[in-house]
Amino acid sequence: MTKLMIIVPAYNEQEVLQSSIERLWQIENELKQSQQITMDSGILIVDDGSVDQTWPIIEQLHQKQPAISGLRFSRNFGHQAALLAGLTTAVWDADVMITIDADLQDDPEKIPAMIEQYQAGCEIVYGVRSDRQTDSWFKRNTAELFYGLMHKMGVTMIPDSADFRLLSNRAVHALLKYSERGLFLRGLVPQLGFQTGRVEYRRTPRLAGKTKYSLKKMVGLALNGITSLTSIPLRLIFWLGMLACMLAIGMGIFTLTVHLLGKTMQGWSSLMLSLWFIGGVQLMSIGVIGEYLSKVLVEVKHRPRFIVDQHLK
């Protein structure tokens, strides 16, 4: 049989954590009773430096049921680092790992279907949203824009799939060979290959608490994904520079023609437009290059991707 470990990253989730883990534990028990997973399967909760009662709740859950274990970071390292820490810990003991957020907006009732696809031969099973009706207009359209942009830049991603997924032991070992600090698992996992499957579900609103993914964090994650997985923006700088040069040449020809025809022009508007355009291109180009250089700086320092303060086994 299959030993399953459900990995739950949590950051300030005191409002929902208790009920979420109870629901996941019930699902695991049903899988155990149907002999789809082993009796020693469990749940691993990764506390990403919470400042509320998240860790005490994890300790209480562990005391009641030792199969519910916990990792506590020394500080907040981010959602992607929490997922990686859970996978790194579980891979030495579990046959298959499923990652799911603590708010359970992703449907945990699809976990048995994921296990079935794994047992049918899939090494990776993605949870894919069937629609985005629960999202705001802004979030829905920016998500579509992001996935479309990544596709045009040659990045393989699963549209409408976040971090609710199943990974086999072999797939996790392959994933851990990627050593970059700027983690974007949604882009890295599809690069692994292996046989894949998917289950569709409808996302539900949070039962309590507030989302921990602010607009700033979502934009940061998107930028991290782009700069981690493709160098297309650097090439775009070259073509943008070529366009600016062509416009400058065209403006020069136009100005010379007007001069030869004996017509005088004030020229202030065209001059200022050119200055603003060239200045904007230069500043944007420097910003893109700086973004890539900052990633190189972080990578060459080889700092730890996370630091574990406590581990409840």
Side-chain angles (χ1 to χ4, degrees):
M1 286 193 294
T2 302
K3 182 173 181 179
L4 168 66
M5 185 64 70
I6 300 177
I7 298 167
V8 184
Y11 177 64
N12 292 342
E13 295 288 3
Q14 63 179 12
E15 295 92 350
V16 298
L17 188 59
Q18 181 84 33
S19 59
S20 295
I21 298 303
E22 289 176 356
R23 187 177 177 190
L24 291 173
W25 186 247
Q26 181 181 0
I27 292 171
E28 274 204 351
N29 282 333
E30 292 172 357
L31 289 170
K32 292 174 183 177
Q33 292 171 8
S34 61
Q35 296 186 344
Q36 290 180 271
I37 62 175
T38 61
M39 297 302 293
D40 60 344
S41 296
I43 300 173
L44 173 60
I45 312 168
V46 183
D47 180 3
D48 184 22
S50 299
V51 294
D52 62 359
Q53 293 300 305
T54 295
W55 183 248
I57 293 173
I58 295 173
E59 290 179 317
Q60 293 171 10
L61 290 167
H62 177 68
Q63 290 175 358
K64 294 179 181 178
Q65 180 49 255
I68 301 175
S69 56
L71 284 178
R72 185 184 190 186
F73 283 173
S74 60
R75 62 171 177 82
N76 178 243
F77 282 89
H79 180 262
Q80 300 293 285
L83 289 172
L84 188 71
L87 293 171
T88 303
T89 303
V91 71
W92 304 107
D93 191 37
D95 299 312
V96 61
M97 287 136 275
I98 292 177
T99 56
I100 186 169
D101 289 344
D103 55 23
L104 294 193
Q105 287 187 268
D106 301 317
D107 188 2
E109 301 300 330
K110 296 298 181 180
I111 289 176
M114 288 181 160
I115 295 296
E116 289 178 4
Q117 292 204 29
Y118 165 75
Q119 293 172 340
C122 293
E123 303 273 358
I124 303 170
V125 182
Y126 298 100
V128 180
R129 297 175 63 175
S130 57
D131 62 65
R132 304 187 70 98
Q133 296 305 313
T134 56
D135 288 346
S136 65
W137 179 91
F138 176 78
K139 187 174 182 180
R140 184 166 58 251
N141 284 273
T142 52
E144 291 177 359
L145 176 64
F146 173 69
Y147 283 115
L149 182 62
M150 295 295 276
H151 176 72
K152 289 183 180 298
M153 291 192 293
V155 178
T156 301
M157 290 184 64
I158 309 300
D160 297 322
S161 174
D163 293 304
F164 178 36
R165 67 175 72 88
L166 175 149
L167 294 168
S168 69
N169 185 282
R170 186 162 72 125
V172 174
H173 274 293
L175 178 64
L176 294 179
K177 293 180 180 179
Y178 289 81
S179 59
E180 57 254 48
R181 270 64 186 161
L183 290 169
F184 187 67
L185 296 178
R186 301 178 197 183
L188 290 180
V189 172
Q191 293 187 20
L192 300 179
F194 300 124
Q195 184 174 341
T196 63
R198 62 175 62 194
V199 296
E200 292 190 353
Y201 66 96
R202 296 191 66 179
R203 209 160 193 254
T204 58
R206 288 179 64 97
L207 295 177
K210 297 181 179 179
T211 179
K212 305 308 181 294
Y213 256 103
S214 62
L215 177 61
K216 180 180 178 181
K217 287 186 176 181
M218 286 191 292
V219 171
L221 183 65
L223 288 175
N224 187 43
I226 293 171
T227 54
S228 295
L229 299 170
T230 178
S231 60
I232 292 296
L234 292 175
R235 296 180 186 176
L236 289 177
I237 290 176
F238 170 77
W239 292 111
L240 195 59
M242 288 290 292
L243 175 63
C245 289
M246 292 174 64
L247 289 174
I249 292 172
M251 182 63 72
I253 294 173
F254 173 75
T255 303
L256 180 62
T257 302
V258 170
H259 175 72
L260 293 176
L261 292 174
K263 296 181 179 180
T264 58
M265 295 180 64
Q266 294 295 329
W268 185 87
S269 298
S270 59
L271 177 62
M272 292 303 296
L273 181 62
S274 300
L275 286 175
W276 278 105
F277 178 74
I278 297 299
V281 169
Q282 289 177 334
L283 288 174
M284 185 171 64
S285 301
I286 292 172
V288 173
I289 294 172
E291 185 70 25
Y292 277 91
L293 285 176
S294 69
K295 293 188 73 67
V296 173
L297 178 64
V298 170
E299 294 297 330
V300 299
K301 288 181 178 179
H302 295 291
R303 291 177 175 174
R305 292 182 283 193
F306 54 85
I307 298 173
V308 175
D309 182 33
Q310 291 180 256
H311 186 187
L312 299 177
K313 300 180 181 180

